[in-house]
Amino acid sequence: MKRTPGTSEIPVNGEGFVRIEEMEEGYPVVVVDTELCRAKIAVWGAHLFSFVPKGKGERLFLSEKALFEPGKAIRGGIPLCWPWFGARKEEKGPSHGFARNSLFEFLGWEREGGGTVVLRFSLENDEEKRRLWPFDFRLEISFRLGETLAVEMKTYNVDDVSWSVSQALHTYFSVDDIERVSIEGLEGCRYLDQLTGETALQKGVVRFSEEVDRIYEGRVSPLRLLDGKGCVTIESEGSRSCVVWNPWIEKSSRLPDMGREGYRRMVCVETANVRDDTVTLEPGSSHTLSVKYVWSD
Ligand code: BG6
């Protein structure tokens, strides 16, 4: 089923709907409302920025200063970092790649047993992107929306040369108070501290009392994120690296779309393929990065 921006209501069997709304002119958003959850996905960036299981609260952080503009990444939800993570060293290009700034195609949706709805988006190369990245690719994103949330990012090399990507599902989790947050499952992992450039071994659970920007390597699944009120289990596949980020006070003041107190209510735990975990794809091959989030109160 192929749907383009501008289409309105598409009924879901049973209760609810999948609807494409123009949030601003030229800014389509897919709104999903089923008996299991509500969700919103900007077609720019295939960027999920709201996920609310029925009867529960918002699970993802969205900055009060977040911008919803073509070509700009949203500060919150799940930005897709692709085909490179972070700043580019040798060549110019936007931070975290161009996918999160690009207009995807909404391929449509289907309903699975139990009321889960799966939405699919894709991105391919064009003249503008080729100036930044000269390779032929197909990127497919799917969101499986039910009581839980699963995201799959599949990269196809449709070129006749091999190339490499680094990538991340840069998920901003909503937390009650960052100073009560802990992340379990990274104990004993080596990490690069992006703030000092040094590597270290994680001792005990990860906690937050200052800016944190780390790339963990190795066995990064399953993880548990706790904030004193609830817990989310993060199970990933196709990933041997994980980024943990909170900008804290000073860095937040340099991010115009972050807001002053936003850092207290968010933490990013990013399922990734970065550094030594960068993926090289031969012509005709593909790689799947996937994650499933299960919340419990
Ligand atoms: C994290 C990086 O993944 O993303 C940080 O590790 C970076 O270094 C952060 O500051 C936010 O990046 P951006 O480009 O969305 O402001």
Side-chain angles (χ1 to χ4, degrees):
M1 180 187 301
K2 185 162 168 153
R3 303 283 175 183
T4 48
T7 318
S8 57
E9 202 123 341
I10 309 164
V12 176
N13 299 338
E15 272 180 50
F17 59 80
V18 176
R19 185 156 64 205
I20 304 173
E21 295 177 357
E22 290 275 321
M23 189 164 163
E24 307 277 343
E25 210 188 316
Y27 201 88
V29 169
V30 185
V31 180
V32 179
D33 191 329
T34 70
E35 66 264 44
L36 299 179
C37 66
R38 278 185 290 124
K40 292 180 182 171
I41 304 169
V43 182
W44 281 93
H47 194 141
L48 178 81
F49 62 91
S50 175
F51 180 71
V52 184
K54 270 283 148 77
K56 311 276 180 181
E58 176 60 68
R59 299 307 197 184
L60 301 175
F61 170 81
L62 178 65
S63 166
E64 58 189 25
K65 296 254 171 90
L67 299 170
F68 293 89
E69 288 175 18
K72 296 236 165 82
I74 303 164
R75 181 72 65 196
I78 312 185
L80 306 176
C81 305
W82 192 96
W84 59 85
F85 175 85
R88 230 177 173 189
K89 288 193 186 87
E90 277 111 42
E91 297 146 275
K92 286 209 174 114
S95 161
H96 289 324
F98 52 77
R100 64 180 187 164
N101 309 329
S102 298
L103 184 65
F104 277 63
E105 183 175 1
F106 176 38
L107 299 175
W109 62 277
E110 67 210 37
R111 195 180 154 94
E112 293 186 335
T116 300
V117 169
V118 184
L119 284 87
R120 296 181 202 285
F121 296 80
S122 70
L123 187 71
E124 291 182 355
N125 221 347
D126 59 20
E127 217 176 294
E128 198 185 330
K129 296 182 195 73
R130 211 167 263 123
R131 272 186 243 126
L132 291 168
W133 211 66
F135 305 113
D136 288 329
F137 68 86
R138 181 171 169 83
L139 180 62
E140 285 184 3
I141 312 297
S142 71
F143 298 95
R144 187 164 267 101
L145 306 168
E147 284 170 350
T148 61
L149 167 64
V151 188
E152 191 178 274
M153 178 147 87
K154 194 160 186 178
T155 303
Y156 296 88
N157 181 347
V158 294
D159 211 328
D160 48 18
V161 293
S162 70
W163 40 256
S164 302
V165 290
S166 55
Q167 57 184 348
L169 297 161
H170 192 308
T171 305
Y172 286 74
F173 291 98
S174 169
V175 298
D176 195 47
D177 177 359
I178 186 67
E179 293 195 62
R180 297 179 68 197
V181 167
S182 57
I183 302 170
E184 298 175 356
L186 292 170
E187 300 89 317
C189 278
R190 183 166 297 282
Y191 67 84
L192 170 70
D193 186 331
Q194 298 222 82
L195 303 173
T196 62
E198 285 167 11
T199 55
L201 282 186
Q202 178 64 38
K203 296 194 189 86
V205 300
V206 183
R207 292 189 194 279
F208 301 82
S209 55
E210 59 185 350
E211 182 178 354
V212 169
D213 191 349
R214 298 178 188 164
I215 301 176
Y216 287 86
E217 299 171 349
R219 189 192 49 78
V220 292
S221 176
L223 303 179
R224 267 163 44 97
L225 167 63
L226 302 103
D227 72 349
K229 282 205 163 166
C231 168
V232 51
T233 304
I234 304 169
E235 281 179 33
S236 57
E237 282 180 32
S239 161
R240 298 278 299 163
S241 47
C242 170
V243 184
V244 176
W245 182 61
N246 182 289
W248 216 254
I249 300 166
E250 199 271 327
K251 172 97 183 224
S252 292
S253 69
R254 285 185 275 128
L255 300 172
D257 56 351
M258 187 66 201
R260 238 166 57 95
E261 293 290 313
Y263 78 96
R264 297 206 70 87
R265 295 185 298 102
M266 57 73 66
V267 64
C268 290
V269 183
E270 308 168 32
T271 299
N273 295 113
V274 293
R275 304 193 74 225
D276 290 352
D277 188 31
T278 294
V279 172
T280 298
L281 287 175
E282 299 302 323
S285 68
S286 66
H287 174 78
T288 304
L289 175 68
S290 63
V291 72
K292 182 177 178 186
Y293 303 124
V294 181
W295 283 269
S296 51
D297 291 321

